[in-house]
Amino acid sequence: MTLPDRRQVLRYVLLAGMSGTGAITLSGCIGSGIAPGLSKNAGKEGLDPSMARIITTATHTSKGASLTSAYRAGKGLGPVTSNAKLQRMAEGHAMAMARTGKVQHSIGFGDNFVRRLYASGYDAQEAAENIAGGFDTIEEAMIGWQTSAGHRKNLLKPAVREIGIGVSQNPTTHLETYWAMVLGVQVQA
């Protein structure tokens, strides 16, 4: 029996959109399970949170903004540019997912998108978050988000102008790589 390639199996994407003006709410969630025993780390002993590492590079950041802008342009929308506060926020959440091995918007007591947005100091008029796990490249993560209704809705929010991308890895988890994208537009003074 030939097992599917890791890329075919690890397409576990919890695609949930959080969005809103004033109040940020959960707009949708989809996900698919991974067949037992097909994970790259099947049979390894336990999760080790200390193995989690932020691996975001300038390439992830620029490519994420470029791919998002191109996708938006194809739909008649304006581009996005990188924002340092959104970047730190996305990296922090990607790291939290890598430490826990969970692809979720809320990890731990009191953690949620609204609190993280407030703590980041980003004065959002509108904001959205896309997360994913198991994709090896930003291109793969973008395809996952583009093919999910909730995430596509976030990518195509007309008002957003800025983006942050975070990617972390933990070789002791079944997904290994965790992605977070935060899109937003700041309140204009």
Side-chain angles (χ1 to χ4, degrees), residues 54-186:
I54 294 173
I55 61 165
T56 311
T57 66
T59 302
H60 292 121
T61 303
S62 64
K63 190 75 163 182
S66 175
L67 290 169
T68 302
S69 293
Y71 185 66
R72 290 171 56 83
K75 308 293 185 189
L77 298 171
V80 294
T81 58
S82 295
N83 175 280
K85 289 179 182 178
L86 295 181
Q87 182 75 27
R88 284 189 300 275
M89 183 180 164
E91 286 179 340
H93 195 61
M95 185 66 164
M97 292 188 295
R99 282 186 182 128
T100 62
K102 297 177 182 177
V103 181
Q104 297 176 345
H105 287 284
S106 296
I107 295 176
F109 180 75
D111 171 66
N112 62 54
F113 181 62
V114 175
R115 286 180 192 241
R116 286 185 275 114
L117 189 62
Y118 179 77
S120 76
Y122 187 85
D123 191 12
Q125 175 180 324
E126 186 169 351
E129 178 178 70
N130 288 344
I131 57 175
F135 293 108
D136 292 325
T137 68
I138 185 65
E139 292 86 356
E140 291 174 358
M142 284 296 297
I143 290 168
W145 289 326
Q146 290 169 1
T147 57
S148 157
H151 292 84
R152 182 173 48 250
K153 181 179 175 183
N154 287 344
L155 291 169
L156 298 176
K157 287 189 171 298
V160 301
R161 299 287 178 262
E162 297 174 307
I163 189 171
I165 301 279
V167 58
S168 289
Q169 285 186 332
N170 185 338
T172 69
T173 66
H174 69 289
L175 295 175
E176 287 192 14
T177 308
Y178 298 83
W179 298 86
M181 169 192 280
V182 183
L183 298 153
V185 61
Q186 296 186 63

